[in-house]
Amino acid sequence: MAVARLDLARTTVRARLALTGGALAVLGHGGSWLALTFLPHARATVAAATDGDTGASAWWSDTVGELLDHTPPAAWLLVGAPHSRTTFSILGNTGVALAALAACLAFTDRMPRLTRGGAPVTAVGTIALTASFLHILAIRVVGREEETVPALLALLAFTAAALLLATLWTRSFCRGPLEHLLHHATPVARRIK
């Protein structure tokens, strides 16, 4: 939300976004790698607490697996893997997202004709709150915990459904249903002092 308030048309803002993203990615994932590599027994403790691999990729990959116990060891705070809910993970993943956003903005500036081809992606961004809610709801209904289909196939199905539904919705409406509710809730919040 903070990034959306920036003037992303300005080159200096985009450059700062890219630099900040790069710095956060290095701090998050690089810091996790340093900690897991050089702190004694950290990697082995993480590996023993999960159902995944040896912990060698715990600084960047979710192949580290899921925690076996609901109480993670202190070494878990050193993990930078996606969805690990650690400080390193949040810093690294936020950095990658900011850098990717800056790269996409630069790409669309240099290739404006391709921007029209990205209209479905823009549509998903227009109704991001609704799309995220529906994605979580779909995972809940389908029950992805059982891994009934390959993960790549599930990803492609969710992506295709989001692109299609968002494109169809935004042709008729300027906001998603949850975005509409949020839009009408914000004027009330402005009156609160």
Side-chain angles (χ1 to χ4, degrees), residues 89-126:
S89 170
I90 293 167
L91 290 173
N93 295 332
T94 300
V96 169
L98 292 176
L101 176 62
C104 287
L105 289 169
F107 180 76
T108 56
D109 272 356
R110 297 196 185 259
M111 309 232 176
R113 289 185 179 161
L114 293 179
T115 304
R116 283 182 293 233
V121 176
T122 303
V124 174
T126 302

Side-chain angles (χ1 to χ4, degrees), residues 41-154:
H41 311 294
R43 190 179 291 169
T45 304
V46 168
T50 64
D51 62 356
D53 65 8
T54 62
S57 62
W59 62 277
W60 71 275
S61 171
D62 59 1
T63 59
V64 69
E66 296 289 326
L67 284 169
L68 298 173
D69 188 5
H70 293 293
T71 309
W76 184 257
L77 295 174
L78 306 176
V79 171
H83 311 294
S84 61
R85 298 178 297 267
T86 65
T87 302
F88 283 125
S89 170
I90 293 167
L91 290 173
N93 295 332
T94 300
V96 169
L98 292 176
L101 176 62
C104 287
L105 289 169
F107 180 76
T108 56
D109 272 356
R110 297 196 185 259
M111 309 232 176
R113 289 185 179 161
L114 293 179
T115 304
R116 283 182 293 233
V121 176
T122 303
V124 174
T126 302
I127 63 166
L129 182 61
T130 301
S132 297
F133 174 77
L134 292 175
H135 182 204
I136 292 168
L137 184 64
I139 289 173
R140 182 82 169 151
V141 169
V142 172
R144 280 293 302 145
E145 292 83 24
E146 286 81 39
E147 297 283 339
T148 54
V149 295
L152 182 59
L153 182 61

